[in-house]
Amino acid sequence: MYWLIEEQEQLEVLLNSGYKEAFIEIIPFNNNIHPAQNNVSLVYIRPLLASKGYMLCIYHSEALNGVNTHVNTILQKFDKLYCRDKKEILHYFPLKALYDINPPPTTYIPPTTPTHDLYYRQHSDNPELNLIIPIVKHYEVCETIFRDLKANINIEKTKYYEFFNNKVSVVFNAIERNGIRVHNETFSGYFHEIDSEYTHTQYNLRTTTTRPSNKFKNVNYAALNKENGCRKSFIPRNSKFVEIDISAYHPSLAANLIDYNFTTSDIHSHFAALYKVDYKKAKELTFKQLYGGVFKNYKHLEFFQKIEKYVGDNWSKFESEGYIECPVSGYIYKKEKLDNMNPQKLFNYVLQNLETSTNVLILWDMCRILRGYKTKLVLYTYDSFLFDYDEEEVELLEKIRNVFEKYKLNIKEIEGYDYSFRKTD
């Protein structure tokens, strides 16, 4: 059978082939458009037992476009669809068979052809650009991607692979799907022109520490300026925004690691009493010691005694066995892949990984709770969760608060009618 599939008869041959596992790649209308607002031009399928891949044409200027309504049928026939970015493909095809073979921290940049480079250099703003790039060039790129990544298919699937596929990819896709409503004129003034009522964030999950970044079209949603007024661009679709922040997040996570219980819900007040200093100074001292090492005059405190023991034990294991496995996620830091490590730096890596993986568990619970509600979770940034809240769903906030209590985390809340949380009359 020819590699290009553009008619129902050709699709039937592939449908009846008996293939159960394949690699999949999506060619959207334009690579620069967010997948939540994009459309599919071509679907590349490479059955693992086939000698070549097949390009299913949904919509392209060169083809008959005769398989559009049948693509889902063939994709659902596969038991496993390996891919390089599950979070992205879920925007187009929410399939349970998808399995990401390129989890963090591996970064894979898809190749291009000179033809792709030329068209994107000259016509990047064309929303249907991939529809005029020859199909054979898209096929060439997809075949290369498969050759580059096919060895990953047979790599042992660790606890972290399962955590990333079953939880991480799913929850961040869900947040991206929700989008954030914007005031178009204000948003355009601070960021870039927009012709939609919503903007969509895009989480980069493949970072060295596994802590996601969040940027799309040069807007850094993980670090929006709090002073210049840009946050007024973001407005709720429902009644108001409710932001829930986790208080003293890293000290709380560290306490869970070492089995230490604070005597009060206000952790920084707890430390202020131990240090015999004011609240602000206590906060500064705690973070300096968590990230930089315990000061001599506070080594007698039980919390820091346990921290030092944990850091030392972790480092000994890392040195003797060549790796450590992070709690919750199962992510493994290997000595051979990390340069200039020391006990404190390794602890910081573990703490950041624990932050992200705990947040994934929280986000997973949130997604399940919010199913069927108008209230949406629209932004997540490390220790902060932004909800677009419908005031008629009065019972929902208590359910959300209970999630943080489940993970022994203290929270504070703020609400307002735009993301700057300015007061209204």
Side-chain angles (χ1 to χ4, degrees):
M1 185 170 63
Y2 191 55
W3 61 267
L4 179 60
I5 297 178
E6 51 185 334
E7 295 179 306
Q8 176 62 17
E9 292 77 9
Q10 296 170 309
L11 193 66
E12 288 291 338
V13 176
L14 185 58
L15 193 61
N16 296 323
S17 64
Y19 295 129
K20 292 299 183 183
E21 295 189 343
F23 178 82
I24 185 173
E25 180 73 15
I26 304 299
I27 308 299
F29 276 29
N30 185 309
N31 295 341
N32 294 332
I33 298 175
H34 195 285
Q37 298 173 309
N38 218 337
N39 291 296
V40 179
S41 171
L42 304 162
V43 177
Y44 171 83
I45 290 286
R46 175 66 185 256
L48 300 192
L49 297 179
S51 59
K52 63 176 179 288
Y54 299 95
M55 192 68 88
L56 281 60
C57 186
I58 295 178
Y59 194 81
H60 194 280
S61 61
E62 292 182 341
L64 297 176
N65 307 318
V67 302
N68 185 16
T69 58
H70 305 283
V71 168
N72 269 307
T73 302
I74 191 167
L75 294 181
Q76 289 170 3
K77 289 289 185 180
F78 288 94
D79 294 336
K80 191 78 76 175
L81 287 167
Y82 299 102
C83 60
R84 66 172 177 84
D85 193 336
K86 178 176 177 175
K87 176 176 68 69
E88 180 177 333
I89 295 181
L90 282 170
H91 283 289
Y92 303 115
F93 299 105
L95 300 163
K96 290 183 178 180
L98 287 171
Y99 195 91
D100 198 313
I101 57 173
N102 188 46
T106 307
T107 299
Y108 176 78
I109 300 174
T112 58
T113 65
T115 302
H116 282 83
D117 295 339
L118 175 64
Y119 275 85
Y120 269 90
R121 195 161 51 243
Q122 296 182 352
H123 309 288
S124 61
D125 292 335
N126 182 341
E128 299 183 349
L129 179 54
N130 283 335
L131 277 60
I132 57 176
I133 294 175
I135 296 177
V136 69
K137 292 301 176 182
H138 291 309
Y139 182 74
E140 182 182 328
V141 167
C142 291
E143 288 277 273
T144 301
I145 293 173
F146 174 72
R147 286 195 299 270
D148 289 346
L149 296 178
K150 65 179 180 180
N152 291 9
I153 293 172
N154 295 320
I155 290 176
E156 180 187 358
K157 306 306 184 286
T158 63
K159 176 184 174 182
Y160 180 69
Y161 267 71
E162 301 304 316
F163 183 76
F164 182 79
N165 272 280
N166 298 335
K167 293 276 196 300
V168 179
S169 297
V170 176
V171 298
F172 286 107
N173 171 267
I175 301 173
E176 290 181 4
R177 280 175 177 270
N178 288 335
I180 311 176
R181 189 180 177 211
V182 296
H183 183 273
N184 292 56
E185 185 178 346
T186 308
F187 184 90
S188 299
Y190 281 104
F191 302 112
H192 58 75
E193 291 296 321
I194 186 170
D195 57 6
S196 171
E197 189 179 0
Y198 294 90
T199 186
H200 291 266
T201 63
Q202 190 169 55
Y203 291 90
N204 174 23
L205 308 179
R206 293 170 171 85
T207 61
T208 303
T209 62
T210 70
R211 195 187 207 197
S213 58
N214 185 7
K215 181 183 289 187
F216 188 70
K217 282 193 172 181
N218 295 319
V219 182
N220 187 354
Y221 292 97
L224 292 167
N225 194 302
K226 294 182 178 180
E227 308 298 331
N228 69 355
C230 72
R231 290 184 173 222
K232 292 185 293 184
S233 306
F234 305 97
I235 56 177
R237 72 195 83 187
N238 294 306
S239 309
K240 59 186 177 182
F241 280 144
V242 175
E243 184 176 70
I244 297 181
D245 295 330
I246 300 173
S247 302
Y249 198 5
H250 279 196
S252 298
L253 291 173
N256 290 340
L257 279 176
I258 61 176
D259 194 26
Y260 179 86
N261 294 312
F262 291 103
T263 58
T264 174
S265 60
D266 190 337
I267 291 173
H268 294 304
S269 290
H270 174 89
F271 279 116
L274 292 176
Y275 301 144
K276 296 181 174 55
V277 298
D278 62 34
Y279 190 93
K280 183 179 179 182
K281 183 64 175 178
K283 192 173 180 179
E284 176 188 330
L285 285 170
T286 300
F287 285 121
K288 280 184 176 179
Q289 293 179 90
L290 268 184
Y291 305 139
V294 180
F295 298 160
K296 184 177 179 179
N297 49 330
Y298 298 120
K299 286 180 180 287
H300 66 284
L301 298 177
E302 181 188 358
F303 177 83
F304 289 115
Q305 286 177 352
K306 289 188 170 185
I307 287 290
E308 284 203 307
K309 184 178 186 309
Y310 181 89
V311 171
D313 291 346
N314 228 27
W315 181 252
S316 295
K317 178 179 173 63
F318 185 71
E319 286 284 271
S320 62
E321 300 184 19
Y323 74 95
I324 56 155
E325 180 178 316
C326 295
V328 180
S329 69
Y331 184 82
I332 292 176
Y333 286 112
K334 293 183 178 180
K335 186 176 180 180
E336 63 195 47
K337 294 186 177 181
L338 296 171
D339 296 325
N340 304 315
M341 292 302 292
N342 59 58
Q344 194 62 43
K345 187 176 179 180
L346 182 64
F347 175 65
N348 293 343
Y349 272 40
V350 171
L351 208 52
Q352 285 200 31
N353 184 275
L354 182 59
E355 172 204 274
T356 301
S357 53
T358 301
N359 284 339
V360 167
L361 297 181
I362 292 169
L363 293 169
W364 179 265
D365 289 349
M366 295 298 179
C367 289
R368 297 180 68 181
I369 288 171
L370 293 172
R371 196 175 298 154
Y373 284 96
K374 292 180 181 177
T375 297
K376 306 292 182 186
L377 175 60
V378 295
L379 188 64
Y380 146 79
T381 50
Y382 311 140
D383 61 355
S384 177
F385 301 75
L386 182 66
F387 296 88
D388 190 325
Y389 177 61
D390 187 321
E391 287 181 323
E392 293 184 359
E393 298 169 342
V394 291
E395 78 287 358
L396 193 56
L397 277 182
E398 194 57 37
K399 291 182 179 180
I400 290 170
R401 294 182 188 114
N402 288 341
V403 172
F404 294 98
E405 184 177 344
K406 170 184 174 181
Y407 294 103
K408 301 179 181 179
L409 298 169
N410 301 309
I411 58 174
K412 54 187 177 181
E413 299 177 23
I414 187 171
E415 60 183 50
Y417 299 97
D418 62 45
Y419 194 31
S420 70
F421 295 108
R422 61 182 173 81
K423 300 295 182 182
T424 56
D425 296 330

